């Protein structure tokens, strides 16, 4: 891609840091809602995205950046506006703009070997493309790269950064330890940021969204339905993380369920999708369709299944963090969950799209392969990068998917 | 247990604990020729040091290892080793010490607790009472602190000869040098001696901070260490608040290095790092932000790159020589 000139990027950054354009955008979104009430998922998502942009860049509240496993319910509870830079990085790539921030980060000596979710986040932050945070919240899971990433963001924006230390195990002590840190954090934020917490409504929305997701999962377990084009569900990641606790997620999942019930498409093979996927425009989804490889379950859209109790908010959220972290990062727990999905979703195999700079997941590949092989399930690891095309091995995708489809056909 | 020896890795695993248990800790240090037997278990873009540690532990003679995990790579390496050892039924015990996030008091408390748990396991293996370990530990920490103070004073005065600590044994007297260093070498665990040699051959006098050399010994001169009634908490505090911050402790480390460069009027920094180590890679970006002197990054995978390093260090020598006598303005992110 040809990089736009500096003056253009600077002007763009200047505009992004003014409130006025986003007041206008807000007026437009209101008009759009009135003129064209969303009738399908695409229109709904489009309007939600515009509204979020207007709110975040128009600074209609405290903009709070969080790492993927930091629960958005905590932020909604004090009426903050959650912003997940790792998710926004995916959106940037989907729009085809990844190269600009990636290049900016590398110019500042953040190596190409770092995870591109973080590198892109750094570049976009250095360009001031993302909405300026009031403060930062992160957990030490899903990976240690997240911690360093947030520490550098702290340095770039000179705003407070609060990091929760997540133990490696999933136990009542771990949950209590996390709950105590969350409670401590809530006190600090009350004191320093003057916020107050209201849990009922937020937990109510999260709960409703969760039951909707569980219905969707039940639908996806049916063999007569395939439901979504392969890997499409990962485009809805913001609803599973950033909007949890907001009414928007409930409405979205209601719409998704309605869409799924009306869909009749199926593909010959049912697969699990591990880790994320390339978010830049690529032929991967169509290749999967071509070889009949349907995706019925994605690791990252599998939610924390427990109820959130507004009377014990910190314990509930502590448990959410501990459970998510454990099931994603502990090899035995992760494998166990994957094997359970194989049964529940009647899946025949799994695909993981490796992320170049991700030691956390790639370091587990050998053991995961062995465990699945022992149980008779094939797994395909595709190499590449989710956001940075330069690490991509697109030429090999076709051959490898073809070979995998053959294995599945037996 | 093999002559009471324990192999350990990384520097957050405190040797003081071994000493309190009557054991002898040896830092696992991969040395060439490097085998490649376990390579298939690791992805390509993965910490080279971890890969070599896995090989080393597999072939090393000790029956007990303590592995600290402070990053994704070390955690996965530990899991791979555990798997290999269970599968092949090797008579080795692998204990682990999870290193929490150390930027808050929560993490320090948890590290203290993890150290306590580790001491119970070690005491059991060494056949001594945990209570005895706890009593001894307080004394070991105090003597270790005194020794660290002495080393650090020499180091921060720029009088500690390069590589003096690579082979340093506790209790030995320390050599000191009069010549002032001009360049700081921030080293990786591997290939430090090679880079020191090249730099010195290029006429650069080097002071070194690395995980195998001075790194594990240095404490910050600013604050005094006051022991409490809990030796495990003291040990955690010594390793987090007082120790020279490791690359994982981003901002504090970058600030410390910046201060040190200023204090010793150094003219440049050579940064030797393992190619796929996130901690070092983030450190590089931050150092560029903090440092006001020229910075030379040298990456390595599982083999050194001597010819390329020589050319780059020679070119760097010219940059350092031509650098203005007043420091450059720190680079902006
Ligand atoms: S892809 Fe891997 S390294 Fe990147 S943010 Fe996710 S877990 Fe961390
Ligand atoms: S060199 Fe870096 S990646 Fe490797 S074990 Fe040390 S901190 Fe982890």
């Amino acid at each position: 891609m040809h990089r736009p000139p500096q003056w253009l990027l600077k002007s763009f950054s200047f505009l992004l840091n003014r409130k006025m354009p986003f007041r206008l955008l807000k007026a437009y979104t209101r008009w759009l809602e009135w003129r064209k009430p969303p009738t399908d998922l695409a229109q709904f998502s489009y309007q939600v995205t515009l509204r979020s942009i207007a709110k975040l860049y128009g600074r209609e509240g405290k903009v709070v950046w969080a790492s993927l496993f930091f629960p958005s319910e905590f932020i909604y509870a004090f009426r903050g506006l959650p912003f997940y830079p790792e998710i926004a990085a995916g959106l940037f790539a989907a729009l085809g703009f990844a190269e600009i921030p990636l290049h900016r980060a590398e110019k500042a000596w953040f190596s190409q070997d770092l995870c591109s979710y973080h590198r892109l986040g750094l570049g976009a932050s250095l360009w001031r493309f993302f909405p300026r945070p009031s403060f930062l919240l992160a957990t030490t899971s899903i990976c240690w790269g997240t911690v360093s990433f947030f520490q550098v963001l702290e340095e770039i924006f000179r705003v407070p950064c609060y990091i929760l230390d997540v133990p490696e195990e999933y136990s009542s002590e771990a949950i209590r330890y996390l709950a105590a840190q969350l409670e401590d954090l809530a006190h600090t934020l009350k004191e320093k940021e003057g916020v107050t917490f209201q849990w009922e409504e937020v937990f109510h929305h999260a709960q409703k969204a969760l039951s909707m997701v569980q219905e969707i999962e039940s639908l996806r377990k049916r063999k007569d339905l395939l439901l979504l084009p392969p890997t499409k569900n990962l485009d809805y990641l913001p609803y599973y993380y950033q909007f949890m606790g907001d009414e928007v997620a409930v409405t979205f999942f209601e719409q998704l369920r309605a869409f799924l019930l009306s869909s009749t498409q199926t593909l010959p093979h049912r697969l699990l999708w591990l880790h994320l996927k390339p978010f830049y425009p690529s032929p991967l989804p169509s290749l999967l369709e071509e070889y009949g490889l349907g995706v019925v379950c994605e690791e990252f859209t599998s939610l924390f299944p427990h109820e959130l109790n507004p009377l014990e908010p910190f314990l509930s959220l502590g448990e959410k963090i501990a459970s998510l972290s454990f099931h994603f990062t502990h090899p035995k727990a992760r494998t166990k969950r994957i094997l359970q999905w194989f049964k529940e979703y009647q899946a025949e195999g799994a695909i993981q799209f490796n992320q170049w700079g991700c030691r956390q997941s790639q370091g587990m590949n050998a053991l995961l392969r062995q465990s699945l092989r022992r149980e008779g399930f094939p797994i395909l690891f595709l190499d590449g990068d989710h956001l940075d095309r330069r690490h991509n091995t697109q030429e090999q995708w076709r051959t490898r998917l073809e070979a995998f489809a053959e294995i599945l056909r037996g | 247990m093999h002559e009471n020896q324990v192999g350990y890795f990384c520097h957050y695993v405190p040797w003081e604990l071994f000493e309190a248990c009557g054991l002898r800790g040896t830092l696992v240090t991969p040395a060439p020729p490097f085998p490649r037997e376990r390579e298939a278990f690791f992805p390509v873009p993965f910490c080279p040091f971890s890969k070599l540690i896995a090989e080393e532990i597999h072939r090393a003679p000790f029956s007990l290892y303590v592995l600290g995990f402070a990053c994704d790579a070390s955690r996965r390496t530990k899991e791979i080793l555990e798997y290999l050892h269970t599968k092949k039924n090797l008579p080795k015990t692998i204990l682990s010490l999870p290193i929490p996030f150390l930027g808050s008091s929560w993490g320090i408390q948890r590290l203290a607790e993890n150290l306590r748990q580790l001491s119970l396991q070690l005491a059991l293996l060494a056949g001594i009472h945990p209570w005895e370990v706890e009593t001894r530990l307080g004394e070991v920490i105090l003597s270790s602190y005194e020794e660290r103070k002495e080393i650090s004073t020499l180091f921060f005065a720029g009088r500690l000869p390069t590589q003096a600590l690579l082979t340093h044994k506790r209790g030995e007297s320390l050599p000191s040098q009069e010549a002032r260093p001009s360049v700081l070498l921030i080293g990786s665990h591997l290939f430090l001696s090679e880079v020191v040699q090249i730099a010195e051959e290029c006429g650069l006098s080097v002071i070194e901070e690395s995980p195998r050399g001075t790194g594990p010994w240095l404490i910050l001169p600013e604050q005094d260490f006051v022991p409490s009634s809990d030796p495990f908490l003291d040990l955690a505090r010594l390793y987090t608040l007082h120790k020279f911050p490791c690359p994982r402790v981003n901002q504090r480390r970058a600030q410390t290095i910046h201060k040190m460069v200023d204090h010793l009027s150094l003219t440049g920094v050579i940064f030797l790092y393992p190619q796929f180590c996130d901690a070092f890679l983030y450190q590089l970006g931050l150092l560029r932000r903090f440092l006001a002197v020229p910075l030379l990054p040298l990456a390595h995978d599982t083999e050194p790159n001597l010819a390329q390093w020589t050319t780059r260090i020679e070119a760097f020598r010219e940059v350092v020589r031509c650098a203005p006598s007043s420091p450059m303005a720190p680079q902006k992110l």
Side-chain angles (χ1 to χ4, degrees):
Chain A
M1 184 188 141
H2 181 68
R3 254 193 308 274
Q6 291 271 323
W7 65 265
L8 187 63
L9 294 171
K10 280 189 181 156
S11 316
F12 183 54
S13 158
F14 177 82
L15 280 178
L16 288 177
N17 286 284
R18 297 289 164 279
K19 283 185 185 168
M20 185 45 86
F22 300 99
R23 295 213 176 112
L24 296 175
L25 180 65
K26 190 174 179 186
Y28 169 70
T29 55
R30 287 224 177 102
W31 175 83
L32 197 66
E33 256 172 73
W34 166 75
R35 190 79 184 81
K36 253 189 171 181
T39 49
D40 61 19
L41 276 177
Q43 184 59 225
F44 180 81
S45 284
Y46 172 66
Q47 293 193 12
V48 168
T49 310
L50 288 188
R51 272 207 308 272
S52 308
I53 291 176
K55 271 190 196 167
L56 287 161
Y57 287 89
R59 305 192 61 79
E60 287 182 15
K62 282 186 191 303
V63 176
V64 182
W65 290 28
S67 65
L68 195 67
F69 282 4
F70 195 100
S72 50
E73 293 93 335
F74 184 90
I75 304 170
Y76 284 118
F78 63 82
R79 300 201 164 279
L81 300 174
F83 176 79
Y84 284 73
E86 288 142 328
I87 292 181
L91 189 64
F92 238 80
L95 294 171
F97 297 139
E99 206 209 326
I100 299 165
L102 287 173
H103 176 256
R104 181 72 179 86
E106 282 152 34
K107 234 180 97 188
W109 290 27
F110 291 102
S111 156
Q112 264 198 46
D113 293 320
L114 285 170
C115 168
S116 57
Y117 288 100
H118 295 151
R119 220 164 2 109
L120 196 152
L122 289 177
S125 304
L126 291 168
W127 267 121
R128 303 292 192 262
F129 285 167
F130 283 166
R132 195 184 151 72
S134 302
F135 51 90
L136 312 163
L137 301 175
T139 57
T140 55
S141 62
I142 183 174
C143 62
W144 279 100
T146 303
V147 177
S148 302
F149 170 53
F150 270 77
Q151 288 178 330
V152 178
L153 291 176
E154 179 182 11
E155 178 57 34
I156 293 174
F157 290 108
R158 307 279 167 140
V159 293
C161 176
Y162 305 97
I163 295 178
L164 299 184
D165 176 44
V166 184
E168 298 66 31
E169 78 270 21
Y170 180 36
S171 61
S172 49
E173 290 90 67
I175 295 169
R176 277 201 303 273
Y177 177 66
L178 278 159
Q181 289 181 75
L182 282 163
E183 192 166 358
D184 190 28
L185 175 61
H187 281 303
T188 309
L189 294 180
K190 275 184 203 163
E191 248 172 50
K192 296 201 171 154
E193 304 287 337
V195 298
T196 51
F197 287 80
Q198 299 287 340
W199 302 100
E200 284 79 9
E201 195 187 347
V202 174
F203 279 12
H204 174 71
H205 289 325
Q207 218 46 58
K208 257 183 109 176
L210 175 65
S211 32
M212 211 63 70
V213 169
Q214 284 168 338
E215 278 186 46
I216 290 168
E217 285 173 350
S218 313
L219 285 176
R220 298 184 83 194
K221 285 173 189 166
R222 278 171 46 182
K223 250 191 151 170
D224 57 332
L225 297 169
L226 177 72
L227 315 164
L228 278 167
T231 74
K232 179 70 193 162
N233 203 25
L234 291 171
D235 292 341
Y236 303 138
L237 219 53
Y239 299 100
Y240 290 89
Y241 292 90
Q242 181 159 344
F243 293 120
M244 266 296 159
D246 189 297
E247 211 174 351
V248 158
V250 182
T251 321
F252 172 80
F253 288 122
E254 273 166 2
Q255 297 227 7
L256 181 60
R257 185 189 52 178
F259 167 78
L260 295 179
L261 280 170
S262 68
S263 147
T264 52
Q265 189 204 8
T266 59
L267 283 172
H269 301 293
R270 297 171 62 81
L271 299 180
L272 308 178
W273 193 269
L274 308 181
H275 210 316
L276 293 166
K277 65 164 183 174
F279 282 101
Y280 44 79
S282 87
L284 186 62
S286 48
L287 278 175
L288 289 165
E289 283 215 54
E290 190 183 324
Y291 290 109
L293 303 171
V295 174
V296 288
C297 164
E298 307 81 15
E299 187 174 24
F300 270 79
T301 57
S302 302
L303 289 177
F304 168 76
H306 308 280
E307 198 165 322
L308 299 175
N309 178 357
L311 298 176
E312 291 185 317
F314 303 118
L315 271 178
S316 294
L317 294 179
E319 182 166 16
K320 180 173 177 173
I321 299 172
S323 167
L324 270 176
S325 306
F326 184 70
H327 289 105
F328 272 87
T329 64
H330 192 287
K332 282 197 183 135
R334 184 174 179 229
T335 310
K336 194 171 160 202
R337 200 157 77 128
I338 292 170
L339 288 171
Q340 194 181 325
W341 288 332
F342 268 113
K343 265 201 217 135
E344 290 175 2
Y345 286 87
Q346 305 176 66
E348 300 144 76
I351 297 183
Q352 172 166 307
F353 196 98
N354 288 331
Q355 160 78 338
W356 174 258
C358 180
R359 332 289 166 212
Q360 186 281 119
S361 67
Q362 288 204 71
M364 229 191 280
N365 286 0
L367 298 191
L368 180 64
R369 189 198 297 274
Q370 306 239 0
S371 312
L372 296 191
R373 195 180 283 161
R374 238 193 343 260
E375 301 294 325
F377 292 112
I379 179 163
L380 171 68
F381 292 101
L382 287 176
D383 289 322
D385 193 292
H386 300 170
L387 311 181
D388 189 344
R389 284 170 184 277
R390 287 167 299 178
H391 289 306
N392 127 3
T393 54
Q394 205 162 311
E395 333 68 61
Q396 295 174 14
W397 294 352
R398 176 174 286 281
T399 335
R400 305 206 54 210
L401 287 173
E402 195 176 352
F404 191 59
E406 248 165 55
I407 294 176
L408 293 179
R409 278 197 295 271
Chain B
M1 208 184 300
H2 186 88
E3 293 168 9
N4 280 358
Q5 293 251 32
V6 190
Y8 72 95
F9 143 76
C10 67
H11 286 293
Y12 278 107
V13 179
W15 53 261
E16 287 86 344
L17 199 55
F18 301 133
E19 203 164 304
C21 294
L23 302 170
R24 244 187 52 217
T26 304
L27 181 70
V28 182
T29 311
F34 301 125
R36 294 278 186 272
E37 286 161 38
R38 267 137 297 269
E39 208 166 24
F41 281 89
F42 295 94
V44 173
F46 200 79
C47 164
F49 179 60
S50 292
K51 289 181 186 176
L52 297 180
I53 282 281
E55 303 284 359
E56 189 65 27
I57 290 183
H58 214 69
R59 74 176 178 184
F62 310 140
S63 55
L64 172 63
Y65 286 93
V66 177
L67 306 184
F69 54 93
C71 66
D72 296 324
S74 51
R75 178 173 180 183
R76 295 291 171 247
T77 306
K78 181 205 82 137
E79 289 156 1
I80 289 170
L81 277 165
E82 276 171 350
Y83 168 82
L84 288 170
H85 287 195
T86 328
K87 201 167 157 248
K88 298 206 171 148
N89 218 2
L90 293 176
K92 291 182 187 180
T93 307
I94 297 186
L95 302 178
S96 59
L97 176 69
I99 315 293
F101 170 63
L102 301 171
S104 73
S105 54
W106 291 100
I108 298 173
Q109 294 279 352
R110 185 155 83 92
L111 178 59
E113 190 46 42
N114 293 349
L115 288 168
R116 194 186 311 276
Q117 294 306 326
L118 177 63
S119 82
L120 294 178
Q121 292 170 298
L122 288 172
L124 193 69
L125 288 167
I128 57 172
H129 198 280
W131 174 82
E132 208 177 319
V133 174
E134 194 164 337
T135 318
R136 278 196 215 159
L137 185 59
E139 292 156 27
V140 179
I141 292 174
L142 280 184
S143 80
S144 140
Y145 178 68
E146 288 309 319
E147 194 169 356
R148 287 165 183 277
K149 218 159 78 177
E150 196 188 333
I151 293 172
S152 306
T153 309
L154 264 184
F155 177 82
F156 287 108
R159 293 181 47 224
L160 190 66
T162 313
Q163 309 204 67
L165 296 186
L166 284 183
T167 49
H168 175 67
K169 301 243 165 13
R170 291 207 58 208
E172 278 177 2
S173 63
L174 287 162
S176 84
Q177 64 177 21
E178 286 311 313
R180 296 296 294 241
S182 63
V183 166
L184 169 67
L185 168 60
I186 298 173
S188 140
H189 309 71
L190 299 166
F191 314 126
L192 179 78
S193 310
E194 285 86 337
V195 175
V196 169
Q197 195 184 339
I198 300 173
E200 288 180 348
E201 279 168 14
C202 286
L204 295 169
S205 61
V206 172
I207 181 169
E208 153 277 315
E209 191 281 327
S210 77
R212 272 195 57 218
T214 51
W217 293 94
L218 297 179
I219 50 170
L220 300 172
E222 291 101 52
Q223 69 263 59
D224 263 345
F225 173 73
V226 185
S228 71
S229 56
D230 178 350
F232 296 103
L233 185 60
D234 286 348
L235 198 53
R237 282 171 46 231
L238 182 65
Y239 272 70
T240 53
L241 302 175
H242 296 268
K243 196 166 161 274
F244 195 101
C246 85
R248 204 179 73 140
V249 188
N250 277 307
Q251 291 118 313
R252 262 186 82 213
R253 177 171 168 91
Q255 281 157 359
T256 308
I257 290 172
H258 168 59
K259 267 197 224 160
M260 191 184 144
V261 167
D262 259 10
H263 172 70
L264 290 175
S265 307
L266 300 172
T267 53
V269 174
I270 299 176
F271 186 82
L272 174 67
Y273 68 99
Q275 195 177 351
F276 299 108
C277 165
D278 292 340
F280 273 89
L281 291 176
Y282 274 105
Q283 195 53 226
L284 181 59
L286 271 184
L287 278 179
R288 183 177 178 271
R289 158 93 175 100
F290 277 92
L291 289 181
V293 294
L295 172 64
L296 173 69
L298 299 177
H300 70 76
D301 200 347
T302 47
E303 295 293 337
N305 202 341
L306 300 178
Q308 196 214 55
W309 292 349
T310 308
T311 320
R312 297 193 57 205
I313 291 175
E314 277 167 2
F316 184 67
R317 177 190 56 198
E318 301 313 312
V319 176
V320 170
R321 281 195 184 149
C322 303
S325 48
S326 62
M328 289 153 40
Q331 317 222 26
K332 273 225 149 90
L333 276 177

